[in-house]
Amino acid sequence: MEHRNPGCNLDLQWLKKAIVNLAAVNRQAKKLIDSRSLNDEYEAAWLLKAVTCIDLTTLAGDDTHSNISRLCLKAARPLPDDLLNYLGFEYIADCPIHNAAVCVYPSKVKSAVGTLTKLGLKDKINVASVATGFPCGQTPLRTRLEEIKFAVNDGANEIDIVIDRSLVLTGQWQTLYDEIKQMRDACGEAHLKAILAAGELVNLSNVYRASLVAMMAGADFIKTSTGKESINATIPIGIVMSRAIADYYYKTNFKVGLKPAGGIRTSKDAINWLIMVKEILGNEWLTPKLFRFGASGLLGDIEYRLYQIVTGKTALAYEFSMS
C-alpha cells in the first residue's frame, strides 16, 4: 500500500446513522454468486490472481521451525513447476506467481523471516503475525501492545490484530477507536490488519460500524474473522465491509484493504470473493496491496482445479497437499 490510511477523527454521528438492510444485502449476495459463468481460460486467470492474494497461514499449537520453513517454501512456489509452465509462467527472479504473505504466531516470526531471507524473497513475500491476544482479544491492553512490538521487532511487517468484540456489543466506540489507534502506533511501519470477528458482532450494522471505527483509527486492512468463530467469512459480511471501505474512501480519499479469512476453502469461494470486490470496489482493489485471503487449505483446492483445467483429468486430492 503506497499511501497508508492515516485515519481520522472518530465520527460518532456517522456510526449512529448506519443501518444495514439484511434482506437487501442477502439479495445482492445471491445476485453476485449467481451472476457469473466462466470458461476455463478466464477461470484459470482468476485463480492465478487468487494465488497472489493469499496470506498462507499456519496457526497451530504444534507449529515448529520446520513447519514454518515449509510454509515459506510453499508461499514462494505455490504451484508445481509443470503446471505453472503450462499456464505461461516460470519460477524466475521476476515471477509474479507467489503468495502475498505468510501468517504465523508472534513466536514464529523469526523463523519465517529467516527462511524468506535465505530464499532471497524477504522483499517479495510479507511476514504477517497475529497479535493482541489472538483469537479472543481479551488480554490486558498493555499485553496486547507488547505482543505487537515483539512481532515487529522480530521482523513482521504486517500485524493482524483482533479487536475486543465486547466494545462493539456494548457500543463503546471511543474506547475501541482509542485501542486500535494505540495498536497502529505500536505497529510503526508495519501494516495493521484489524480482525473484526464479524460473526460475533450480532448484526451487520455492527459489522459496518466496527469497520468504520477501525478505518478511522488507521487500519490498513479490515479482516472478517480469526477463522476460529462459528461464522467466518461470508459474502454478506464481505459486502457490508466492502461498502464501508467504499464509503470511507469516498469521504477521506484513502484506500483500505479487505481480508476475508475463515471458511474460504474452494476455488469457487475464491472467485466469488474476487468478483464481489470487483463489483463493489473496482479493479484497483484486485491486488495484494488491497485484497488478501487468509487461508491454509484454499491453495490446495486451487492447485487441484487448475490441474483439472489444464489436463482435463481429475487428480487425487492428496497430490496437492501442503506436506
Side-chain angles (χ1 to χ4, degrees), residues 28-284:
Q28 186 178 9
K30 186 176 187 306
K31 183 179 179 181
L32 284 169
I33 292 171
D34 295 344
S35 64
R36 295 291 186 275
S37 179
L38 302 173
N39 64 32
D40 286 353
E41 181 180 356
Y42 287 108
E43 184 179 356
W46 278 106
L47 293 177
L48 285 175
K49 170 63 72 176
V51 168
T52 68
C53 293
I54 290 175
D55 284 2
L56 197 60
T57 302
T58 181
L59 296 169
D62 58 356
D63 282 336
T64 64
H65 175 73
S66 296
N67 291 359
I68 303 304
S69 295
R70 188 163 65 247
L71 186 82
C72 293
L73 288 166
K74 186 62 177 175
R77 302 171 74 94
L79 301 174
D81 289 63
D82 54 351
L83 182 57
L84 189 69
N85 293 344
Y86 191 92
L87 293 166
F89 297 91
E90 59 179 316
Y91 288 122
I92 55 178
D94 60 349
C95 178
I97 307 301
H98 55 78
N99 293 152
V102 293
C103 184
V104 298
Y105 277 117
S107 61
K108 302 304 177 188
V109 166
K110 194 172 287 188
S111 291
V113 171
T115 301
L116 290 173
T117 299
K118 289 178 182 177
L119 293 171
L121 293 171
K122 187 173 178 294
D123 294 330
K124 290 181 108 177
I125 298 175
N126 294 299
V127 175
S129 172
V130 295
T132 66
F134 180 93
C136 63
Q138 291 291 332
T139 53
L141 178 60
R142 184 169 66 177
T143 303
R144 285 179 276 159
L145 296 176
E146 287 300 319
E147 193 174 25
I148 292 172
K149 293 173 185 176
F150 175 88
V152 171
N153 287 338
D154 273 1
N157 53 7
E158 298 181 353
I159 302 294
D160 289 30
I161 64 104
V162 286
I163 68 168
D164 180 348
R165 279 79 93 186
S166 70
L167 300 177
V168 176
L169 299 177
T170 55
Q172 297 183 67
W173 302 114
Q174 184 68 57
T175 303
L176 178 62
Y177 173 86
D178 291 341
E179 286 195 357
I180 298 174
K181 202 164 180 58
Q182 290 182 66
M183 292 171 186
R184 162 66 189 264
D185 290 341
C187 284
E189 295 301 312
H191 286 181
L192 181 146
K193 306 192 199 93
I195 306 172
L196 306 183
E200 294 183 346
L201 300 186
V202 178
N203 58 61
L204 292 179
S205 294
N206 277 342
V207 172
Y208 182 86
R209 295 182 187 113
S211 298
L212 289 180
V213 172
M215 291 186 286
M216 291 174 188
D220 298 292
F221 271 73
I222 51 175
K223 179 177 173 181
T224 61
S225 328
T226 66
K228 310 294 185 183
E229 297 86 46
S230 58
I231 299 173
N232 291 289
T234 68
I235 292 295
I237 286 172
I239 288 171
V240 171
M241 292 176 68
S242 296
R243 188 68 258 169
I245 289 170
D247 292 345
Y248 183 80
Y249 175 60
Y250 179 79
K251 188 166 185 176
T252 68
N253 205 35
F254 286 104
K255 296 173 183 174
V256 174
L258 175 68
K259 180 178 174 180
I264 303 173
R265 299 186 178 90
T266 69
S267 300
K268 185 176 180 181
D269 292 337
I271 290 173
N272 285 340
W273 275 91
L274 290 169
I275 289 173
M276 184 210 72
V277 168
K278 177 180 172 64
E279 293 289 334
I280 297 176
L281 294 170
N283 290 334
E284 289 180 272

